[in-house]
Amino acid sequence: MFYRGKFADGGDGREMGSKRQRLSEPGSSFYGTSPGSSYMYNPTPYAYVGQPPPFPVVKLRGLPFDCTEVDVAEFFHGLDIVDVLFVHKNGKFTGEAFCVLGYPLQVDFALQKNRQNMGRRYVEVFRSKRQEYYKAIAQEVSDSRGGSPRRNAPRAKSYDEGKDSAEHTGVLRLRGLPFSAGKDDIMDFFKDYVLSESSIHFTMNSEGRPTGEGFVEFASAEDSKAAMAKDRMTLGSRYIELFASTHDELDEAISRGR
C-alpha cells in the first residue's frame, strides 16, 4: 500500500475531494497504480518516511492560448495527470494553468520540462502549493456563480443557432470533461434523466488516456434535445460544452480510442 496520510502543506485526498470533486474519484487516487506509469516516477512507501509528502502540483506559464488539457498531458508525457486548471482573468485565458500530478515525486520530473516548447512557445514550469491551487479553483467557481464574463461572453450568432437547429438522435457529445470524471459524475450532471453506465462513453487517445470528451446516449431524441439546457454548465469548476451527435460519430470515436 502506498502512503495515504496528509500532505506537508496540509489537507489530504479526502479533503481535496470536497473542494474539487473530481480529484477524489477512485480512478484518480494520488497513490493508486497507474498502468501507464513508469516505476521511476512513482515513490515507494518509504520515500517520505518521517514526514508527510508535499502536495503534487505545478504551475505553468506561457501556454498557447488555444491550449487544451490534452496538450498539457502530452507536454508531461509519462506522468500521471490528475487535474488541469486553466486560469482566467476577466473572462480571458491568462496563459497560466495548474497541473496536479499523481505522485509528489513526479513534481521533480515535471520541473525538468521548464522552458521546453509547446508548439512555438516555451513554457515555464514552477513549483506550486495546495493553497495557491485552491485559490485558483475558488476564483473560477466564483466567476461561474457570479456571472463570469467568460461564460456570458456573446458568441457568434451562428454558433448558437447551429446548436439550436441541429438534428437530435438521442446522442450528445460532451467536451471539456475533467480527466478524472467518472460515469457517476455524468449521471449526476444529467440527474433529471434516466441514464445507465452503459449509456456513458469516454473517449481515449492512442495511449489509453482520457481526451476530455465523451458521449451520452439518452432514451430518446426528445431527452437529448432537452438536455442541451445543460450546455456550458459546470461539472466541478469546468464548463461542459454539449453538442448534438449521432451513433455513428459515437462508434467512430470509440473505435479510434481502441
Side-chain angles (χ1 to χ4, degrees), residues 24 48 54 58 108 119 147-148 188 192 212 217 224 232:
S24 62
Y48 300 99
V58 294
D108 293 326
S148 163
D188 186 60
D192 295 330
E217 298 176 272
S224 68
R232 298 177 221 160

Side-chain angles (χ1 to χ4, degrees), residues 214-226:
F215 292 82
V216 176
E217 298 176 272
F218 290 84
S220 66
E222 290 74 18
D223 280 356
S224 68
K225 187 172 184 177

Side-chain angles (χ1 to χ4, degrees), residues 20 22 69 83-86 141 150 175-179 189 232-240:
R20 185 78 160 168
R22 64 182 179 276
E69 288 184 342
D83 187 38
V84 177
L85 177 71
F86 293 110
V141 173
R150 174 166 59 98
R175 185 168 69 187
L177 294 170
F179 282 156
F189 186 72
R232 298 177 221 160
M233 296 188 72
T234 55
L235 176 59
S237 63
R238 293 299 311 276
Y239 298 94
I240 307 301

Side-chain angles (χ1 to χ4, degrees), residues 65-86:
F65 286 96
D66 59 352
C67 179
T68 67
E69 288 184 342
V70 174
D71 294 326
V72 175
E74 291 178 350
F75 183 71
F76 288 128
H77 177 76
L79 301 182
D80 296 300
I81 308 301
V82 174
D83 187 38
V84 177
L85 177 71
F86 293 110

Side-chain angles (χ1 to χ4, degrees), residues 77-145:
H77 177 76
L79 301 182
D80 296 300
I81 308 301
V82 174
D83 187 38
V84 177
L85 177 71
F86 293 110
V87 179
H88 297 81
K89 185 175 182 179
N90 297 326
K92 295 183 178 179
F93 178 42
T94 63
E96 296 185 350
F98 291 88
C99 181
V100 180
L101 301 163
Y103 304 87
L105 187 63
Q106 293 186 345
V107 170
D108 293 326
F109 288 96
L111 292 173
Q112 294 178 16
K113 301 287 288 185
N114 184 40
R115 301 184 73 84
Q116 291 195 26
N117 278 32
M118 181 184 293
R120 295 184 178 181
R121 298 178 64 98
Y122 75 82
V123 177
E124 296 178 278
V125 184
F126 308 92
R127 290 186 188 275
S128 188
K129 295 182 178 179
R130 178 182 65 95
Q131 292 90 337
E132 189 178 9
Y133 166 66
Y134 279 164
K135 184 177 179 180
I137 292 174
Q139 185 61 50
E140 292 287 312
V141 173
S142 175
D143 285 349
S144 69
R145 291 176 178 173

